[in-house]
Amino acid sequence: MFTTRPTLQGTFGMVSSTHWLASQSAMAVLEDGGNAFDAAVAAGFVLHVVEPHLNGPAGEVPIILAPAGGDVRVLCGQGPAPAGATPAHYRSLGLDLVPGTGPLAAAVPGAFDAWMVLLRDHGTKPLADVLTYAIGYAEDGHPPVERVTETVETVRELFATEWPSSAEVYLRGGEPPRPGEPLRNPALAATWRRLLAEAEAAARAGAGAGERVAVIEAAREVWRTGFIAEALVRQAGVPAMDTSGSRHAGTLSAADLRGWSASYEDPVTYDWNGWTLCKAGPWSQGPAFLQQLALLPDVAELPAYGSAEYVHLLVEGCKLAMADREAWYGDAGDGGVPVDELLSAEYNAGRRKLIGDTASYALRPGAPGGRPPRLSAHALAVAAGDGAAAATAAFGGGEPTVAGDGGTRGDTCHVDVVDRWGNMLSATPSGGWLQSNPVVPELGFPLGTRLQMAWLDEGLPNSLAPGRRPRTTLTPSLALRDGVPVMAFGSPGGDQQDQWQVHFFLGVALRDPVRGGPDLQGAIDAPAWHTDSFPGSFHPRGMRPGSVTVESRTPPEVVAELRRRGHDVLVGGPWSEGRLCAVARDPRSGVLSAAANARGMQGYAVGR
């Protein structure tokens, strides 16, 4: 099979991310003696600088980590709704949905603290060492990728007329950044330099003077209670234009920032054909990946990989899993989401019978344990085909898109790392996009907008409620064989992430290896697709019933057969679907592998 690049192999260390500068920065940390977790933190902060349209420090990041010889854990970097973020407050403003941009959509920022907790507990490097790469690119500049320019151009009028602090960073001289000309963010570099200076001074003054962990803990306090917290809260209180067409202030308070920390939890797992797949809990969409595997027939009964029957089976299974996501997933507390029943063989055997020979256009959540599903009024309306569906359809096909008001459909980034000791990590940083909120002038980055994923209806697993996490689309993955971690992978793409990841995983699991290792690059490069036949997670929360978007590299006979089966097929560009990253380790030989998506011409794997 033709691939855009080789699957890399070596024994020292491997990194794959959505931007070459993040990948190479992580590799530099490995070369300097750091481990996979040190490297991932360095990459994460570089991604804030070089992909500011895809993530930022005030966004969020779920991380799945597998320390060598230790248990797989999920580190939750998804902040909850602030104390003042009640459905009653939003409805008092005349809103039926949380806006897709602006301070009202801001959850408690989660990314920074998650990276700090990871570095504290599993890293080996001082904070200054891992921040130096991001500081350098923010201070000295980096040549922006084309998508940065395109995104800023899309929101040029909003910045120029409503968000002047964003214009100061991204419309220098009234023009968007130009590819090939260094883009600088001196305010962001100054923020990290001041944070480091204050943290190191606090550590020297404390009992653990000068120690690595003391500096990290002091940095966390600066973020939560110091100058950064003060600036974030001040900015949240400034009314700003959002996707509702009005100016609103947010609800984030100093108490919200002070009271939250990133935390560990066990992954949700599913065993499939000798593999164990690990995902974050139902506060993410991660279990939908597992449910799609549970809906598959026995491996011997699977259609030929890439055939029309294969695509049809996966698309129809995705619709059922995503319908269950809509009805059952959220941060609903212990016992609030029936994960075991949703992944059970009995439940999915019944659901599998709903997959016929033709495409379904209906939203069909199940009833695990006999409990009737509940959907938001908005989801019911879009499933019935009102105007919101058309609004979302206009956002575009496979590529994530940005509207003129900053509303964003599915943009994010990803990083995977494995080192020579066998430490492995998968992380999907997102939120805090340059188009999500005005840049905080003193800090150089904006607040996030993850609250747009929660419903204002009460009593749902994903209802907006103070202290509860909005259900995120962010969904890193980690796979084990015989109880040993062997592969970390993930993708940007919003609601499309766990569609592309299922196709990628099956491409690895069902096809012949290369050079004795997994064909990661071949599985990434294979023609991909997605469906929007369920309520979207991003404002305006619409759907396109029966839709399938495929790459034009998909064989014409497959497209024709899908249409014969009733799918509403949109043929996109040849490289418009799927943006996977992946690393792997063979525990028998110690050989490491890596590959990255060539679509968009910015993702790269590096290693040796």
Side-chain angles (χ1 to χ4, degrees):
M1 173 186 170
F2 165 79
T3 60
T4 56
R5 306 160 179 170
T7 295
L8 305 184
Q9 290 189 315
T11 56
F12 178 81
M14 291 283 165
V15 181
S16 178
S17 88
T18 48
H19 196 290
W20 64 85
L21 293 179
S23 295
Q24 190 52 50
S25 297
M27 194 66 199
V29 172
L30 294 179
E31 296 284 3
D32 194 43
N35 66 18
F37 309 117
D38 298 311
V41 175
F45 279 90
V46 170
L47 287 170
H48 296 160
V49 180
V50 300
E51 293 191 312
H53 59 309
L54 303 180
N55 78 137
E60 43 275 326
V61 56
I63 302 168
I64 301 184
L65 59 144
D71 295 331
V72 176
R73 298 286 278 164
V74 172
L75 178 54
C76 175
Q78 174 58 65
T86 65
H89 175 64
Y90 288 74
R91 292 197 181 278
S92 74
L93 299 173
L95 300 171
D96 294 322
L97 294 172
V98 178
T101 59
L104 267 182
V108 177
F112 178 86
D113 199 60
W115 288 125
M116 292 300 98
V117 170
L118 178 69
L119 184 66
R120 179 196 69 189
D121 295 344
H122 298 282
T124 64
K125 289 288 187 179
L127 178 57
D129 286 9
V130 297
L131 274 180
T132 186
Y133 306 93
I135 292 172
Y137 288 125
E139 201 163 60
D140 301 328
H142 63 94
V145 296
E146 286 80 357
R147 289 288 291 170
V148 172
T149 301
E150 293 166 5
T151 299
V152 175
E153 183 62 50
T154 301
V155 292
R156 179 204 288 256
E157 183 177 354
L158 176 68
F159 283 11
T161 61
E162 296 286 345
W163 295 4
S165 59
S166 298
E168 185 174 344
V169 177
Y170 295 107
L171 285 177
R172 298 286 174 87
E175 294 297 323
R178 296 180 180 178
E181 295 185 6
L183 170 62
R184 296 178 175 86
N185 190 341
L188 178 57
T191 295
W192 297 145
R193 289 194 182 281
R194 180 177 173 184
L195 175 134
L196 279 171
E198 292 189 9
E200 289 169 351
R204 285 193 298 271
E211 291 186 1
R212 189 185 75 89
V213 170
V215 173
I216 295 170
E217 284 297 291
R220 296 178 70 207
E221 281 304 303
V222 172
W223 177 275
R224 291 186 296 197
T225 65
F227 79 95
I228 292 178
E230 293 170 359
L232 290 173
V233 171
R234 185 164 52 247
Q235 184 66 42
V238 178
M241 181 65 69
D242 58 40
T243 53
S244 73
S246 299
R247 298 178 185 89
H248 295 111
T251 61
L252 183 68
S253 71
D256 294 320
L257 282 166
R258 186 171 58 250
W260 182 84
S261 297
S263 58
Y264 293 99
E265 57 190 58
D266 291 331
V268 177
T269 63
Y270 184 76
D271 294 332
W272 184 87
N273 197 37
W275 296 78
T276 298
L277 285 303
C278 302
K279 300 290 278 189
W283 53 268
S284 76
Q285 70 173 337
F289 173 101
L290 307 178
Q291 199 172 343
Q292 289 175 78
L293 295 181
L295 284 163
L296 294 175
D298 291 340
V299 173
E301 300 174 13
L302 283 175
Y305 177 87
S307 66
E309 187 178 1
Y310 171 88
V311 177
H312 171 78
L313 176 67
L314 265 62
V315 167
E316 294 303 299
C318 174
K319 293 175 186 177
L320 294 174
M322 291 301 195
D324 278 346
R325 183 194 75 165
E326 191 52 55
W328 297 106
Y329 290 17
D331 186 18
D334 291 342
V337 180
V339 174
D340 290 343
E341 291 172 313
L342 288 165
L343 297 179
S344 70
E346 180 182 9
Y347 177 74
N348 286 286
R351 297 286 278 161
R352 194 179 303 121
K353 293 176 182 177
L354 296 176
I355 300 176
D357 292 331
T358 59
S360 169
Y361 279 58
L363 185 66
R364 300 181 290 176
R371 287 170 287 186
R374 280 197 62 197
L375 298 173
S376 72
H378 185 86
L380 288 169
V382 298
D386 78 355
T392 293
F395 252 75
E399 281 293 322
T401 50
V402 178
D405 57 9
T408 300
R409 181 176 179 267
D411 283 27
T412 186
C413 45
H414 188 82
V415 59
D416 299 308
V417 190
V418 61
D419 63 29
R420 62 190 184 276
W421 300 288
N423 299 302
M424 189 178 292
L425 172 142
S426 179
T428 309
S430 188
W433 308 308
L434 68 85
Q435 66 274 16
S436 67
N437 256 305
V439 166
V440 184
E442 309 95 310
L443 303 180
F445 60 84
L447 288 163
T449 55
R450 193 59 57 173
L451 291 188
Q452 68 178 291
M453 297 188 170
W455 295 113
L456 297 182
D457 310 56
E458 307 222 27
L460 304 174
N462 190 33
S463 295
L464 179 70
R468 279 174 55 173
R469 294 165 289 189
R471 188 191 68 218
T472 181
T473 53
L474 308 176
T475 175
S477 300
L478 200 138
L480 293 75
R481 297 280 280 181
D482 300 320
V484 179
V486 296
M487 185 166 65
F489 58 99
S491 173
D495 293 315
Q496 300 151 28
Q497 289 180 35
D498 275 327
Q499 303 183 55
W500 294 336
Q501 290 187 53
V502 168
H503 179 45
F504 162 80
F505 170 71
L506 292 176
V508 172
L510 298 177
R511 299 169 69 196
D512 293 334
V514 294
R515 296 193 302 276
D519 186 8
L520 302 180
Q521 195 65 52
I524 289 173
D525 287 349
W529 63 84
H530 81 272
T531 178
D532 295 308
S533 194
F534 50 85
S537 296
F538 295 88
H539 190 279
R541 310 298 298 270
M543 65 181 284
R544 291 174 52 225
S547 67
V548 181
T549 302
V550 303
E551 291 181 315
S552 60
R553 294 181 296 126
T554 304
E557 62 272 19
V558 171
V559 174
E561 175 61 14
L562 290 173
R563 285 176 170 152
R564 190 194 69 78
R565 289 173 178 254
H567 295 278
D568 180 10
V569 180
L570 171 67
V571 178
W575 298 94
S576 57
E577 297 283 322
R579 284 179 290 284
L580 269 294
C581 298
V583 299
R585 179 178 182 269
D586 184 337
R588 298 166 301 177
S589 65
V591 170
L592 312 177
S593 304
N597 170 55
R599 299 165 176 90
M601 296 186 291
Q602 66 185 66
Y604 271 89
V606 296
R608 68 174 180 86

